[in-house]
Amino acid sequence: MTTDTSRQLRADAARNAERIQRAARKVWAEQGADAPLEEIARHAGVGISTLYRRFPDKGVLARAALEQCLAEDLSPAQARALEDDNPLHGLTTLIEAALTLAAREHNTLAAARMADSLTADVAAEFHATLAELARRSQRAGLVRADLVPEDLPRFMVMLFSVLWTMDARAEGWRRYVAFVLDALSPTGANPLPPATALLKHPRPDKFPI
């Protein structure tokens, strides 16, 4: 039987987990992806044993912290993009939302990558939304017809990789988003090489987001 005490313990544990995830994002942003877990526990106001009880290693914590910011920022952006009457505008704003998040959470992504916990399933829903918006844009004549769904995760890999070459907070990535969007335009587009080899090749098993 569930008691008031057990409910309170679960609520306390959930609050501790949320505080630890937010503290991890803050500490990594300020001190870098190699900041020790003890520092994260201190910022969260919990003991290191409490942190390890919920997050047994850095990879588990980095993954959870990343999923927290995806749920708070990227999932709502996906919903708004799908509701946009102009699918190309929705596609554009979603790509920009993803890059904004990746720039802000640059060191959280780095921590997840270092811990080998940044796998493709993290971004599966995001990539599915991109594909749907691209299909709608193609039907509306706003995106070149020879784009295939397998192109989109690779476009995002290219865009996210830009963040590692500059100050992620300076928004220089917007220049490269503009380049990619121009490449998607049907206006003046030259035919692409066939996608046959691309379609047969397995998709990369890891993406930055």
Side-chain angles (χ1 to χ4, degrees), residues 23-40 52 58-59 61-62 106-115 164:
R25 292 162 58 187
K26 185 175 189 298
V27 170
W28 285 329
E30 294 175 350
Q31 301 182 23
D34 56 353
L37 295 182
E38 289 79 5
E39 186 68 9
I40 292 169
Y52 277 120
K58 186 174 183 177
L61 176 55
H106 192 55
N107 285 340
T108 300
L109 286 164
R113 181 179 288 106
M114 289 163 56
W164 302 96

Side-chain angles (χ1 to χ4, degrees), residues 70-93:
L70 293 177
E72 291 176 351
D73 295 333
L74 196 58
S75 292
Q78 290 171 206
R80 290 192 299 271
L82 288 169
E83 292 171 357
D84 199 316
D85 291 335
N86 182 327
L88 181 56
H89 181 262
L91 180 65
T92 300
T93 56

Side-chain angles (χ1 to χ4, degrees), residues 5 37 45 64 73 78 86 91 94 116 121 124 143 165 169 185 190 193 197:
T5 300
L37 295 182
D73 295 333
Q78 290 171 206
N86 182 327
L91 180 65
L94 181 56
D116 203 31
D121 58 301
V143 163
T165 69
R169 298 165 298 181
S185 173
N190 293 314

